[in-house]
Amino acid sequence: MKIFRRKPPAPPAIPAVRVLMVCMGNICRSPMAEGLLRQRAAERRLAVPVEIDSAGTHSYHEGAPPDPRAQAAALRRGIDVSRLRARRVVPSDFERFDLLLAMDDDNYSALLEQAGDLHQHKIRLLLEFAAPGLAGDATRRNVPDPYYGGTLGFERVLDLVEEAMAGLLDEVERIAARRPTEGESTTG
């Protein structure tokens, strides 16, 4: 005789929070930020799934791996970004991602121009999520582009990006808490 038991219902699926890191060419700042966020999200063991990607506002390097200096700086911190490939922000990114995080004011403005009114609230500067002392310093709103400098510039980028990680992960959790789970009605 075979006994059939009902399985307890699976917990409702939590929709992923999607984060896009954005710089100009997607070979320095944004891939390092993508790698660091992936690492910090895994370490924090979030209860919500997070999808992380990066892109550039320009297509100068489309299809290229991150700059070797960016790869080396990230690898020194245990982050492998060598498999990432540069891509340009596309219109569907504004629909798909919950947060589009610009590394600096120029890329922030470029994203706002492309987004249209419906998605502008998703566009923020990454350093808005940094600790108040850092974020309150107007000269440190931007993650500087290290492309034309030396290796120390890449380390500085990672230091600044690191400052924003805890606040950004808190925001990811807030976004997840505000949305219904899959299958849950959004109407009363």
Side-chain angles (χ1 to χ4, degrees):
M1 180 160 132
K2 200 166 193 171
I3 299 175
F4 294 95
R5 295 183 189 198
R6 285 192 176 164
K7 291 182 181 177
I14 300 170
V17 175
R18 294 176 179 93
V19 179
L20 183 66
M21 300 293 193
V22 181
C23 68
M24 186 176 291
N26 193 214
I27 61 166
C28 296
R29 295 171 288 176
S30 57
M32 289 193 297
E34 175 185 348
L36 189 56
L37 181 56
R38 286 180 187 281
Q39 184 184 66
R40 294 297 176 260
E43 290 170 359
R44 187 147 155 185
R45 295 189 174 123
L46 298 173
V48 59
V50 183
E51 290 181 23
I52 305 160
D53 197 0
S54 62
T57 54
H58 295 75
S59 58
Y60 304 135
H61 307 284
E62 203 154 343
D67 184 287
R69 298 165 296 171
Q71 290 185 49
L75 203 52
R76 281 191 288 276
R77 298 184 192 212
I79 304 165
D80 182 3
V81 296
S82 64
R83 290 196 168 104
L84 300 180
R85 293 296 175 263
R87 71 176 188 87
R88 186 174 185 177
V89 172
V90 294
S92 61
D93 287 332
F94 297 100
E95 182 71 36
R96 180 172 173 233
F97 288 94
D98 299 294
L99 287 172
L100 292 92
L101 302 176
M103 297 296 128
D104 61 32
D105 289 322
D106 290 338
N107 290 296
Y108 178 81
S109 295
L111 288 171
L112 287 176
E113 284 180 27
Q114 294 176 49
D117 294 340
L118 185 60
H119 300 293
Q120 290 194 356
H121 69 281
K122 298 177 178 184
I123 301 166
R124 313 262 301 266
L125 284 167
L126 175 64
L127 290 186
E128 286 180 34
F129 299 100
L134 179 61
D137 181 351
T139 63
R140 292 171 132 183
R141 290 173 39 92
N142 297 305
V143 177
D145 190 347
Y147 186 76
Y148 294 104
T151 57
L152 284 178
F154 289 85
E155 294 296 335
R156 179 70 181 132
V157 164
L158 282 167
D159 290 342
L160 287 169
V161 170
E162 181 71 57
E163 289 288 331
M165 288 298 106
L168 176 53
L169 290 170
D170 290 345
E171 180 67 9
V172 164
E173 290 178 325
R174 282 190 292 275
I175 290 169
R178 287 192 303 259
R179 61 169 59 150
T181 56
E182 288 180 11
E184 190 175 272
S185 174
T186 56
T187 59

